Amino acid sequence: QHHTVEDVGLTLGQALRDALGDRHGIRRFGDALCPLDEALVQAVVDCSGRPFLAYGLEIAQARVGSFDTELVHDFFLALSNEAAMTIHLHQVQGRNAHHIIEAAFKSFARALDQAKQFDARVVGAPSTKGVLA
């Protein structure tokens, strides 16, 4: 499972990096807070060209079914590295491992959707340096 999950993160990250291209005209930043029942997770992303993962999920269970919950970290780390983006995942609350994981993926997807959108006010790369690398 480890190699499969990590490879999916790497592949998705590579596809995102390619799709973002030079990142000219995008908002760059996005954030979202999503619930699933008792779980609440916030994701904040920066399509900066700088890979970093701040992982703040506290999943007490080692497994959900046959899935190793530590692989959630490995997925987001691989994705962050290949997409060259900063990802912060912060668990506000939650007890159920499945709910925490699902809320994390939902909030990440919504934050990424915000960050990658074009903003007519942004000319070139959204950076004071004029380039995102």
Side-chain angles (χ1 to χ4, degrees):
Q1 281 186 349
H2 169 79
H3 294 294
T4 300
V5 170
E6 186 176 47
D7 286 351
V8 169
L10 291 169
T11 303
L12 182 58
Q14 197 171 48
L16 286 170
R17 186 182 67 231
D18 292 347
L20 289 168
D22 62 12
R23 301 164 197 223
H24 283 202
I26 65 168
R27 288 184 176 167
R28 180 177 160 180
F29 302 103
D31 68 280
L33 194 60
C34 289
L36 180 60
D37 296 345
E38 88 298 342
L40 183 62
V41 175
Q42 180 181 32
V44 181
V45 301
D46 179 2
C47 297
S48 61
R50 298 167 55 106
F52 183 80
L53 174 64
Y55 186 82
L57 302 183
E58 299 171 12
I59 304 170
Q61 284 178 237
R63 297 200 175 283
V64 172
S66 64
F67 181 76
D68 181 355
T69 58
E70 287 185 358
L71 295 177
V72 175
H73 174 273
D74 297 343
F75 170 84
F76 280 107
L77 181 61
L79 185 136
S80 170
N81 285 334
E82 282 301 310
M85 72 171 49
T86 296
I87 302 170
H88 287 257
L89 293 172
H90 173 68
Q91 178 181 329
V92 177
Q93 63 186 41
R95 178 195 53 77
N96 181 292
H98 167 258
H99 295 170
I100 294 164
I101 293 167
E102 188 171 334
F105 276 90
K106 286 178 180 180
S107 61
F108 171 74
R110 287 183 172 256
L112 177 61
D113 182 53
Q114 262 184 29
K116 59 100 179 133
Q117 294 206 9
F118 286 100
D119 185 337
R121 299 170 297 172
V122 176
V123 177
S127 168
T128 56
K129 297 180 290 185
V131 66
L132 292 171

